[in-house]
Amino acid sequence: MRDTLPFIRPLVEKYDRPGPRYTSYPTAPQFQAAFAEDDYRAAAKRSNQATPPKPLSAYVHIPFCESLCYYCACNKIITHNHERAAEYLEWLKHEIEVQGALFDDSRRMTQLHLGGGTPTYLSNAQLGELMKALDEAFHFAEPQVREFSLEVDPRTVTPEQIHELYALGFNRLSFGVQDFDRRVQEAVNRVQSEAQVVELVAAARDAGFASISVDLIYGLPLQTVASFDTTLEKIITLRPDRIATYSYAHLPELFKSQRLIRPEDMPPPERKVELLELTIRRLTEAGYVYIGMDHFALPDDELSLARDNGTLQRNFQGYSTHADCDLIGLGITAIGKVGDSYSQNVKETAQYQVRLEEGRLPVMRGYRLNADDILRRDVINTLMCHGRVEFAAIEASHDMRFRETFAGALEELQEMADDELIRISETAIEVLPAGRLMMRNAAMAFDAYLARSTGRYSRTV
């Protein structure tokens, strides 16, 4: 049955405002430099004492790229000198060894994600070294319960290398396509052919990858409704298991690379709304299920099944089917979530190396959650993953009275209820079909820090 996602343009425009993505709560602007290595070590120790301890997950940041994509706001290092990556890999393996000693040997790693930068900047031999170090330190779970993924730049790999990645233990791939239109690609300095992507997707299927995802970006320079419709048609024909459609945030005052985009090439603001409406219509008509935020999946994909049966999770990589894990961040800028804490590593490779040379973990900042943070995180995650918050369930878990504790939030949400985006009853908050695009707006009502936050956020729709 086709997923229904009403697109009511006046309401989309009304609620399209800056707001957090809530991959964590509290969000990164609340992280503090006072949270140091000893705090992280204490959090790891507490996580080992949980009953039972959670499975382990890791995010590994590989910052290197061969060329600069003008739209990119990620932490990256543009270089053709692959010796820098080889040196970085040695320090990364050292951090893995130090981190591994903090977690009990009885725990198993069920989830792994390599991001960047460009993870496939590393050769498959280097990725093999990395996987060996991770397995020795964190003890990979049995293959049937693993979710091991990496981001792939189609310009950097061959079909043969795709098969080698599967042999290394990866079972999920995400291809960065962004747009197939040649003019758009040239405007953002990321030129790749449709044939390259088609060939690699076929290789991934042939190799046996459990899930293949494609990333698109709407709102890029020179994009039109007609040109992006052509890209969507080609993606639908490819039939990846998952599609992520990200809204481009043009902030040249913050990101130097975006200053290389010609201002006259940027689409007018109203076009982004048109592109979003087009994307939703085309993908749902093609049988994709809207998971939430930017994510769509085929009906038989694990994400769709998890959404239907109430087991969908959310973490720093977006939506997940895995139970809540302790997430270990590895490499520069990587963010982790261990026990009741968040942490982030230093941002520069020089700092990273110095910390590890001194025998220290490269933790730059972090945050330890209090009881109110944990309560609000539970409400926000439940809302973002399931679209419904049962007051009784939250009250039972946190020993509180929902309507009393969140009287201000419920009052704030009344406007969304009046616009028939959500329904507030005596026992629950429910996101209605027309409100699914505005879940971030609903979550913002429960954010105790948002009013005084200094963070810069993407727009909510």
Side-chain angles (χ1 to χ4, degrees):
M1 188 172 70
R2 179 183 160 189
D3 192 18
T4 55
L5 186 61
F7 191 95
I8 305 172
R9 184 173 294 191
L11 292 178
V12 169
E13 292 173 342
K14 175 181 178 179
Y15 287 95
D16 184 21
R17 62 189 69 154
R21 296 178 62 82
Y22 293 114
T23 52
S24 72
Y25 181 84
T27 55
Q30 305 311 316
F31 294 2
Q32 301 160 358
F35 185 100
E37 179 181 359
D38 56 340
D39 297 294
Y40 181 81
R41 289 181 178 274
K45 185 175 181 179
R46 289 193 300 273
S47 78
N48 289 328
Q49 296 166 348
T51 308
K54 295 177 181 177
L56 297 177
S57 172
Y59 170 75
V60 185
H61 190 72
I62 311 295
F64 302 98
C65 296
E66 288 272 2
S67 62
L68 178 65
C69 301
Y70 296 163
Y71 57 80
C72 184
C74 299
N75 185 281
K76 58 200 173 291
I77 298 169
I78 310 300
T79 180
H80 292 285
N81 180 7
H82 282 251
E83 287 301 314
R84 293 188 65 182
E87 183 181 13
Y88 179 79
L89 178 60
E90 291 306 309
W91 289 112
L92 185 58
K93 290 192 293 185
H94 183 50
E95 186 194 2
I96 289 168
E97 183 181 3
V98 175
Q99 288 261 26
L102 301 180
F103 299 92
D104 286 350
D105 286 344
S106 61
R107 303 177 72 177
R108 293 291 177 266
M109 180 164 285
T110 60
Q111 196 171 43
L112 171 66
H113 184 79
L114 271 58
T118 306
T120 45
Y121 186 95
L122 298 180
S123 68
N124 281 7
Q126 289 173 321
L127 287 170
E129 288 182 49
L130 177 60
M131 293 294 278
K132 182 174 183 290
L134 288 165
D135 191 11
E136 289 175 351
F138 301 114
H139 315 295
F140 289 167
E142 299 77 16
Q144 63 270 23
V145 297
R146 296 180 196 168
E147 187 178 275
F148 286 6
S149 63
L150 82 164
E151 300 165 9
V152 174
D153 179 343
R155 302 171 299 174
T156 65
V157 294
T158 64
E160 292 74 26
Q161 287 172 304
I162 293 291
H163 282 263
E164 291 168 11
L165 290 172
Y166 184 78
L168 287 175
F170 295 101
N171 57 11
R172 283 165 170 75
L173 289 180
S174 176
F175 290 106
V177 172
Q178 325 316 354
D179 195 312
F180 277 133
D181 187 90
R182 179 78 182 201
R183 293 176 67 244
V184 175
Q185 291 180 351
E186 290 175 349
V188 298
N189 197 41
R190 187 188 175 100
V191 177
Q192 61 196 18
S193 71
E194 178 189 354
Q196 280 178 296
V197 176
V198 170
E199 187 178 36
L200 294 175
V201 169
R205 289 196 171 115
D206 184 55
F209 280 87
S211 180
I212 299 167
S213 179
V214 165
D215 293 346
L216 301 175
I217 300 177
Y218 65 92
L220 290 175
L222 299 180
Q223 270 181 345
T224 65
V225 171
S227 73
F228 201 60
D229 189 35
T230 300
T231 289
L232 288 170
E233 179 63 34
K234 292 175 178 178
I235 294 297
I236 289 166
T237 301
L238 267 181
R239 208 70 178 164
D241 303 284
R242 301 175 187 179
I243 300 173
T245 57
Y246 298 109
S247 171
Y248 172 55
H250 190 58
L251 299 168
E253 67 278 12
L254 292 183
F255 304 109
K256 287 177 64 176
S257 63
Q258 295 184 359
R259 298 171 201 167
L260 297 170
I261 294 174
R262 300 194 312 168
E264 61 268 29
D265 289 344
M266 287 301 299
E270 63 271 16
R271 185 165 303 156
K272 285 186 77 172
V273 176
E274 295 168 355
L275 292 168
L276 174 60
E277 183 175 14
L278 169 74
T279 300
I280 291 167
R281 178 176 60 80
R282 289 303 311 271
L283 294 184
T284 54
E285 284 178 353
Y288 281 88
V289 175
Y290 179 67
I291 303 300
M293 298 282 288
D294 326 279
H295 291 75
F296 296 80
L298 291 174
D300 58 352
D301 184 83
E302 287 181 345
L303 280 183
S304 298
L305 300 176
R307 194 201 77 158
D308 292 342
N309 65 28
T311 59
L312 194 64
Q313 304 283 332
R314 189 153 176 77
N315 59 28
F316 284 105
Q317 279 74 61
Y319 286 100
S320 170
T321 60
H322 273 232
D324 193 20
C325 298
D326 280 321
L327 171 65
I328 302 160
L330 299 162
I332 61 170
T333 74
I335 294 178
K337 180 182 78 73
V338 174
D340 56 359
S341 76
Y342 297 115
S343 60
Q344 184 173 25
N345 279 353
V346 296
K347 295 185 176 182
E348 304 293 337
T349 53
Q351 296 172 298
Y352 183 70
Q353 180 176 336
V354 167
R355 294 282 185 101
L356 290 167
E357 279 180 331
E358 294 172 348
R360 301 161 59 201
L361 286 170
V363 175
M364 175 184 72
R365 61 177 185 158
Y367 186 90
R368 184 177 181 184
L369 284 74
N370 59 39
D372 185 66
D373 295 327
I374 294 169
L375 164 63
R376 291 173 183 272
R377 180 174 68 180
D378 193 7
V379 173
I380 288 171
N381 282 348
T382 302
L383 192 64
M384 298 284 286
C385 291
H386 311 306
R388 182 180 176 87
V389 177
E390 297 280 354
F391 300 164
I394 299 294
E395 290 171 347
S397 297
H398 298 276
D399 191 24
M400 44 77 78
R401 293 183 181 275
F402 195 98
R403 281 191 164 275
E404 291 179 11
T405 302
F406 292 121
L410 292 171
E411 183 178 352
E412 186 177 336
L413 286 171
Q414 190 56 50
E415 183 178 8
M416 292 188 74
D418 292 342
D419 286 332
E420 298 183 344
L421 300 174
I422 64 172
R423 180 185 295 122
I424 304 173
S425 69
E426 289 301 312
T427 60
I429 300 169
E430 180 183 1
V431 179
L432 299 175
R436 291 170 64 194
L437 288 172
M438 294 80 160
M439 283 192 293
R440 288 165 69 182
N441 300 78
M444 286 160 64
F446 296 97
D447 189 333
Y449 302 98
L450 191 58
R452 59 181 187 271
S453 174
T454 58
R456 294 288 298 267
Y457 301 109
S458 61
R459 301 188 74 84
T460 54
V461 181

